[in-house]
Amino acid sequence: MNLVLIITAAVVGTLLFASTVVSNASDVDGTPGSCLFCLDNGPDKSTTFDLSSLPKDTYQSSNGEFWMTTPCGRTSQMQNCDPMSGDPVLQGCRGLGSIANFSIDYDGTSMESGFNLTLFNGSNDPPCGPAPGNRATIFRFVCDKTVAANNPPDDVVIEYPGCHYVVTWRHPAACAAATPQSGACKAPAPPAPPPLPCQTCVPTWKPTWDMMRSTFLYTCNDTGLHSVDEAIKYGVAAYDWSNAKQLWANTKPMNDEEMLTMQAEMVLKADPGIPGEQPRVWVYRNTIKALNWYTSVREKLDDPQYAGWFVKFKDYKGPESNHSYHVPACTYEKCSGFYHDQEQTPEHPRGDGSCVDECDCGKAPCGEYIFDHRNESFSDWFVNGYMITDETLLHKPIGIGLSWLDDSMKLTGPTEEDQHFINDTGSSAQDMQDHVAAYRENMWKLQQKLIPMGGYYMQLIRERGPQVRTSTVPGREHNVTVSECIETLRTQYCVSEPEPWKYAALYSVRPEDAAQDGENYTAEFLLTRGPYAWLGYSWVGCTSDVRPRPPQWYCCFCSCRQRYTAAAFVRRRRFIVVSNRKCVIVGNGHLDESLSSILCGSTPDCKLDLTLARNDIWVRA
């Protein structure tokens, strides 16, 4: 008897409301017999179920956490996930199982009530349950001849047992469609949908293999402009909104946007980068907070004709409403009916940026206002008037990239915003679902335009590297055994097409690590990096101090800019760069024939040639 069926049957009373349709999936084949499952139900007996009549739409659970469609389909792309999972049920962007690996069963007494279809090999990022930690979906199909053919799944997804997600679907197709037949199941299982191409896994510009051009600095100097001399030592200089904060916060009105452009132009003048390769400088934008110290945002916020672009306070009545919410509606003599807080806002005399007198953000108080992505006209401006502009990718004569596209909209409200957003705006559960769906749709539209024209941004950088190095930095010790390191290299990187190379990667370093373990970080990077990879700094705060920069980052490793089969090997705290082109720098490691087996294992097309000079190693493929 199937335990899962017993458990789910006990909770069926809680699954009463139909889930919300969020998108159509017209590419799913609805031909009769195209989604056919067979169940062996006795000696030499079997029963078939044809699920091809299930609706092909994508549905959202009532809590907004799950997206689901027919088990023979895949959820629509509107969830703004990339790489997009081909699984029919998603938890956010996490796939929960595929019909490429499934089982089918019932409770052992009668199939007239329906059956269970369990899809395995869902995401294990992070692992869930026993190793290897993959999640699974249990479709609980309930025979119900009284509902229409377009009846959706119930809107509550239950996790039981742990790491198994139960989707209940009442439908006539769950009734045995064919009389039990003689003989065991012979029909092949329906094929899984083909995988979706990952359109934003890597940028579209030409990759670089130059070591200096492969370094990354995300930074800000909040007291003034950042040092151009430091910026040009990195392949990419990316700037946070807080850069030069004390300067633009005391400009009337504030001009953070223009100051970021000025900083970028100073760097581009000193080093414009290499045409056709990555943007030399990247700048910050926020995707949900309407920061009115950006001129382009302030102009819209202060113009009544764009009032629909911003979320409003509930029942705002002017200055008398100032103390009606968990956050103030007024600052000094300025008030606004648009919802805003001052969590990270310049203020007088002190705030996140200090104004010497009253701060000036235009007609409204300085604050973190909230974009309303549900507005159709806002959607076009968000992509073409705020993100992709003549101050970013369309900047002349050299484009400026986008760096950190900060924050997002969740069902609980905007991230990094006052926790009482829902109460202060009077938003219903449906309002929040609509906010989240519209936000994701606009981010997807942005990606579809941005990537083909040579843009990218930091949230799309997926990989962090294998972290096989050993660190001795106090408080940040990290030890990897030789056997663990070898196993990682053999199985993940000394292969013809390493899986991590399919994505952009940022091997992030903290200042104390760079100062003490720069050589190990560099060796790991060269060992495992793919075509689109950087080594350097993500967010580590604002400072006017120069970040530590290991001497290895200045070296001309792999300047031929060709892909290599293997890149480096850490041994006795020295490293050896291995390449299939003449871009080889070798440390003082001990060379012998065992190095070949350590690096390559049994991979047939990975061989080391030790016949050259003692300190040069080459790969023959």
Side-chain angles (χ1 to χ4, degrees), residues 207-209 493 500-501 503 505 507 525 528-533 563-564:
T208 180
W209 299 97
Y493 293 94
W501 288 19
Y503 310 101
Y507 292 60
F525 176 72
T528 58
R529 64 155 294 179
Y532 296 96
R563 198 185 79 181
Y564 43 81

Side-chain angles (χ1 to χ4, degrees), residues 372-391:
D372 194 335
H373 284 262
R374 298 172 299 179
N375 188 292
E376 186 174 346
S377 61
F378 168 80
S379 176
D380 180 70
W381 175 82
F382 176 76
V383 174
N384 301 300
Y386 175 57
M387 290 291 180
I388 302 174
T389 72
D390 57 7
E391 294 200 68

